[in-house]
Amino acid sequence: MKHFPAFLDIENRTALVVGNGLAAARKAELLAKAHARVIVVAERPCADLAVLAGEGRITVLREPFSVEHLDEAAVLIVATGSEAEDRQVADAGKAHGVPVNVVDRPGLGTFIVPAVIDRDPVTVAVSSAGTAPVLARGLRAKIEALLPARVGDLAAFAGRFRDSVKAKLPEGRDRLRFWERVFDGPIADHVLAGRDGAARSEMLRAINTPANDKGEDGVVYLVGAGPGDPDLLTIRALRVLQTADVIVHDKLVGPDILNYARRDAERIFVGKTRGDHTKSQDEINEIIAAHARAGKRVARLKGGDPFVFGRGGEEREHLRALGVRVEIVPGITAATGCAAAAGFPLTHRDHASSVTFVTGHAKTGAPDLDWPALATSRHTIVIYMGVATAGLVSQRLMEHGLAGATPVAVVENGTLPNQRVLTGELRHVGGLIAENGIKGPALVVIGDVTAAADAAVENKSVLDLALAAG
């Protein structure tokens, strides 16, 4: 983080703008929205500044800049358009101890002005530390599209009841749960729809309901974190991460995803690798159940989807038998995420009319699978946890009639920056994995569809060029 984010309180204080043109006018207007006394020093003010002055929102001084202008300034914005003049005015401001921003020259000032979303009293600021202002504006537009038009009204509404809620619910966690119910429930819906009277009635009823004096029952969310890329988290998964008290996570859930969690959430690692289980499944079941029974919100975070080889079904059964509330948050499973990242489909009208997900995990030898059914034509097979047994699996499939020349793709660290996609034939898949040092996490995909993988296409292009040259 190059800059420390902060919001300045400049209400009824002097904000000085030195400069002219559209950039100066935009900054002056932004300062006026913050209820500052805006003074603009411009010898020949442009039309935009003249309009703001005519509306009484700013004061324009038609004179050259002098250091005396800084005497009462709480903040200084410089937008002369000349680097020499910008530097001179900025240096004068810094000498007076005034915070200085220089438009389009972040190195000359002491702070930068981010792209701002104004939903008073809600303010969202987006900054690229001055490196890419257009990118920051684009991100602002995307965020702004997600925000309800009356989200500021919702914040103001909540502010009017803060003291009452605090008096009724002195324990911090109970207040947190109360406000989460407010913002996720019908009260917020009423405010956002402009039904202020209904919102107030519901709020008073919620505050004065005796049940709010009791601690809330715990809940476990079985959350699919997707194949690895944090951009593939669902909105629901993101919301759970940001509200969970405890996060119990697997090895496949990386730090980039955990960074979206609440900063004060307790994090418990229960990852497993082949032959190395930090916690048994029974221990994991007890951990998540114990925290839920203590009244906490528990996010049981799993790579991919919790119900696709994630043992989510077992954990759900255990929790429900104990009377613990469980909610499922589906995720993008590794098969769909990795196939898309590698550039091939799982089904295709010309090559595969079905797809089967199987586990390659076995205590000894090859897994016990329906080999004749898997070895049919026009069929894609996706093997989870199959790095160690890929050679044995390929042997069994060939024994039951699947051609040894069937295309295969091995996707390691799918969707992540260090993703590798290896392509080859079924009869060579064991050697392909060994020769390239694949340790996992990786998927093995078998079927004609993998010939469309980016790596396969690139390899074919190189071969074609070589043949043409020879």
Side-chain angles (χ1 to χ4, degrees):
M1 186 167 65
K2 187 174 180 180
H3 293 93
F4 179 76
F7 290 88
L8 295 175
D9 181 4
I10 56 173
E11 184 173 3
N12 296 322
R13 302 182 70 190
T14 299
L16 183 66
V17 179
V18 178
N20 201 353
L22 183 59
R26 285 178 174 170
K27 291 297 187 289
E29 185 175 16
L30 191 63
L31 292 165
K33 286 184 178 180
H35 308 289
R37 292 191 301 268
V38 184
I39 297 176
V40 180
V41 177
E43 292 185 72
R44 291 181 293 277
C46 66
D48 294 292
L49 288 172
V51 169
L52 292 173
E55 294 172 346
R57 301 174 66 187
I58 67 173
T59 299
V60 176
L61 302 180
R62 298 170 179 262
E63 58 193 46
F65 167 77
S66 68
V67 293
E68 286 77 13
H69 291 130
L70 294 165
D71 288 344
E72 296 183 3
V75 65
L76 168 64
I77 305 290
V78 186
T80 70
S82 163
E83 183 174 0
E85 289 183 49
D86 282 352
R87 186 182 299 276
Q88 179 184 5
V89 177
D91 287 345
K94 286 184 278 189
H96 271 67
V98 178
V100 179
N101 169 259
V102 183
V103 176
D104 291 335
R105 306 186 204 279
L108 296 183
T110 59
F111 75 96
I112 60 175
V113 177
V116 174
I117 301 168
D118 182 11
R119 294 285 192 277
D120 187 35
V122 174
T123 306
V124 181
V126 182
S127 169
S128 65
T131 60
V134 175
L135 172 62
R137 289 200 296 269
L139 292 173
R140 176 189 63 187
K142 291 178 180 179
I143 296 170
E144 195 161 22
L146 296 174
L147 294 177
R150 299 195 67 201
V151 69
D153 295 336
L154 179 58
F157 174 87
R160 293 195 291 272
F161 291 93
R162 281 190 66 190
D163 291 342
S164 298
V165 173
K166 187 173 183 179
K168 188 72 174 180
L169 300 171
E171 205 281 316
R173 193 174 71 196
D174 289 343
R175 285 203 306 277
L176 173 64
R177 295 289 180 266
F178 177 87
W179 285 116
E180 286 172 347
R181 289 194 297 272
V182 168
F183 294 129
D184 291 336
I187 296 175
D189 291 340
H190 285 315
V191 176
L192 296 176
R195 298 186 293 266
D196 295 336
R200 186 174 185 278
S201 297
E202 288 285 342
M203 188 67 166
L204 292 173
R205 184 180 299 113
I207 292 173
N208 293 300
T209 297
N212 284 310
D213 290 328
K214 301 176 183 178
E216 185 179 276
D217 291 337
V219 58
V220 175
Y221 298 91
L222 300 180
V223 182
D229 184 346
D231 285 348
L232 296 180
L233 279 171
T234 66
I235 294 174
R236 176 63 172 155
L238 183 61
R239 188 178 303 133
V240 169
L241 273 176
Q242 293 172 341
T243 59
D245 302 306
V246 179
I247 297 172
V248 181
H249 62 97
D250 286 344
K251 179 180 175 60
L252 297 180
V253 179
D256 288 342
I257 288 176
L258 290 173
N259 285 339
Y260 287 97
R262 242 176 62 197
R263 296 302 180 199
D264 59 340
E266 181 181 356
R267 303 181 186 192
I268 302 173
F269 174 67
V270 293
K272 300 177 183 179
T273 55
R274 184 177 176 84
D276 180 16
H277 294 185
T278 59
K279 300 287 184 184
S280 70
Q281 188 60 50
D282 287 343
E283 289 176 309
I284 295 172
N285 290 344
E286 286 304 316
I287 288 171
I288 57 180
H291 283 289
R293 285 183 292 187
K296 298 179 181 179
R297 288 191 172 191
V298 182
R300 173 67 172 106
L301 199 59
K302 298 169 175 288
D305 182 277
F307 277 9
V308 180
F309 301 121
R311 305 190 78 166
E314 298 171 40
E315 293 175 2
R316 178 174 178 266
E317 290 171 4
H318 177 80
L319 292 165
R320 293 186 71 180
L322 295 174
V324 174
R325 184 162 66 95
V326 184
E327 293 191 22
I328 312 303
V329 182
I332 295 176
T333 190
T336 53
C338 293
F344 61 84
L346 293 175
T347 61
H348 190 288
R349 284 193 299 175
D350 296 331
H351 304 296
S353 57
S354 62
V355 58
T356 302
F357 299 165
V358 300
T359 175
H361 181 67
K363 291 184 177 179
T364 58
D368 183 18
L369 301 172
D370 186 350
W371 302 111
L374 292 175
T376 59
S377 61
R378 292 178 55 78
H379 183 203
T380 302
I381 307 167
V382 181
I383 307 173
Y384 287 69
M385 299 169 285
V387 169
T389 58
L392 289 169
V393 169
S394 65
Q395 181 181 336
R396 294 288 185 273
L397 289 170
M398 288 187 291
E399 288 172 356
H400 287 81
L402 193 58
T406 300
V408 172
V410 180
V411 185
E412 181 184 39
N413 296 314
T415 76
L416 296 174
N418 59 340
Q419 170 180 291
R420 282 201 295 170
V421 181
L422 306 175
T423 58
E425 296 180 345
L426 177 64
R427 57 192 163 201
H428 299 141
V429 68
L432 183 70
I433 289 172
E435 290 165 10
N436 288 277
I438 300 293
K439 302 295 184 183
L443 282 185
V444 180
V445 186
I446 302 168
D448 290 341
V449 293
T450 63
D454 293 339
V457 172
E458 290 169 7
N459 292 340
K460 184 176 184 301
S461 299
V462 172
L463 178 61
D464 290 343
L465 289 171
L467 291 173

